[in-house]
């Protein structure tokens, strides 16, 4: 890679910015408004976000997942409880999420504690997935080392033969997590990197907002 090419990769942002008057009393209200804008804008997978976790050794890891449910209690995503993220959340039930909608020059960071959702909620979501997605979730020992692609495909095909209609039950090791926020940060890109950033921090049950330097 030509180092000069990297040095010259630049984009300027021309958004109208974010002021204190744009903020809502509760951060979830603003998050929903921005999320709705991302949905309406036609972005590819606007519900994708980067989830960062760290286990007992405090070694951070991050990956992209999809938010499937949200309300004032937090955002919900689904995965294998025995995956790397699941093991790290068992050791340290805190996480950070980053939603980046670059065409809109917007980013939202969310931090907080993570807990499993009720089994009934995981069952309902699993049953709503397409048959192929259910088969994949049940056949994949997520994050484990496997011998080959063929080995994985054979496991999936074996399940397909057992459940030809794809209506298999949710595996016990697969389900949902809810990230319960105690911190939000809203970012809007501005010209010359003089961006707008506001944080919401939960203190004694009340949301406190502050402007941050870019």
């Amino acid at each position: 890679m030509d180092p000069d090419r990297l040095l010259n990769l630049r984009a300027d942002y021309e958004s109208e910015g974010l002021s204190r008057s744009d903020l809502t009393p509760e951060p979830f209200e603003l998050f929903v408004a921005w999320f709705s804008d991302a949905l309406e804008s036609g972005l590819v997978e606007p519900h994708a976000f980067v989830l960062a976790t760290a286990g007992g050794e405090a070694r951070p890891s991050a990956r992209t997942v999809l938010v499937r449910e949200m309300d004032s209690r937090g955002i919900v995503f689904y995965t294998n409880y025995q995956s790397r993220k699941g093991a790290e959340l068992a050791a340290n039930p805190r996480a950070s999420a980053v939603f980046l909608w670059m065409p809109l020059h917007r980013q939202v960071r969310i931090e907080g504690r993570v807990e499993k959702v009720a089994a009934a909620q995981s069952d309902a979501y699993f049953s709503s997935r397409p048959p192929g997605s259910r088969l994949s979730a049940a056949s994949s020992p997520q994050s484990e080392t496997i011998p080959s692609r063929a080995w994985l495909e054979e496991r999936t095909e074996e399940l397909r033969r057992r459940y030809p209609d794809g209506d298999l039950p949710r595996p016990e090791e697969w389900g949902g997590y809810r990230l319960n926020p105690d911190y939000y940060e809203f970012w809007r890109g501005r010209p010359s990197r003089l961006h707008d950033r506001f944080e919401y921090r939960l203190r004694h049950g009340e949301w406190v907002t502050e402007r941050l330097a870019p």
Side-chain angles (χ1 to χ4, degrees), residues 94-180:
R94 293 192 63 84
S96 176
V98 179
F99 290 84
L100 177 62
W101 302 302
M102 188 54 74
L104 302 180
H105 305 161
R106 290 178 176 178
Q107 176 181 272
V108 180
R109 293 175 54 214
I110 305 174
E111 300 174 9
R113 292 189 61 82
V114 178
E115 62 183 4
K116 291 180 180 178
V117 303
Q121 186 173 346
S122 291
D123 289 341
Y125 174 69
F126 189 78
S127 66
S128 75
R129 304 184 86 201
S133 296
R134 279 178 265 171
L135 288 168
S136 296
S139 63
S140 173
Q142 194 176 91
S143 300
E144 293 184 16
T145 300
I146 60 174
S148 66
R149 172 80 186 188
W151 178 89
L152 182 62
E153 290 175 345
E154 177 54 34
R155 281 173 60 96
T156 305
E157 187 57 35
E158 181 181 345
L159 277 176
R160 196 188 310 276
R161 290 192 293 267
R162 290 173 56 192
Y163 300 95
D165 58 359
D167 191 22
L168 72 167
R170 176 181 65 88
E172 291 185 5
E173 69 273 14
W174 193 97
Y177 288 100
R178 178 180 289 106
L179 172 57
N180 301 289

Side-chain angles (χ1 to χ4, degrees), residues 11-18 34 100-108 185-197 214:
D12 218 2
Y13 307 118
E14 299 293 341
S15 76
E16 63 271 22
L18 182 65
W34 280 25
L100 177 62
W101 302 302
M102 188 54 74
L104 302 180
H105 305 161
R106 290 178 176 178
Q107 176 181 272
V108 180
E185 182 195 307
F186 294 86
W187 173 96
R188 290 221 69 177
R190 297 294 297 274
S192 301
R193 298 296 191 267
L194 206 61
H195 310 308
D196 288 321
R197 296 171 63 194

Side-chain angles (χ1 to χ4, degrees), residues 35 44-51 63-69 75-79 85 99 125 129 177:
F35 193 91
V44 176
E45 295 201 318
H47 58 319
F49 68 96
V50 174
L51 176 74
R63 76 290 291 163
T64 301
V65 297
L66 303 176
V67 60
R68 286 305 186 184
E69 300 163 32
I75 59 175
V76 175
F77 60 94
Y78 290 87
T79 189
K85 71 178 84 62
F99 290 84
Y125 174 69
R129 304 184 86 201
Y177 288 100

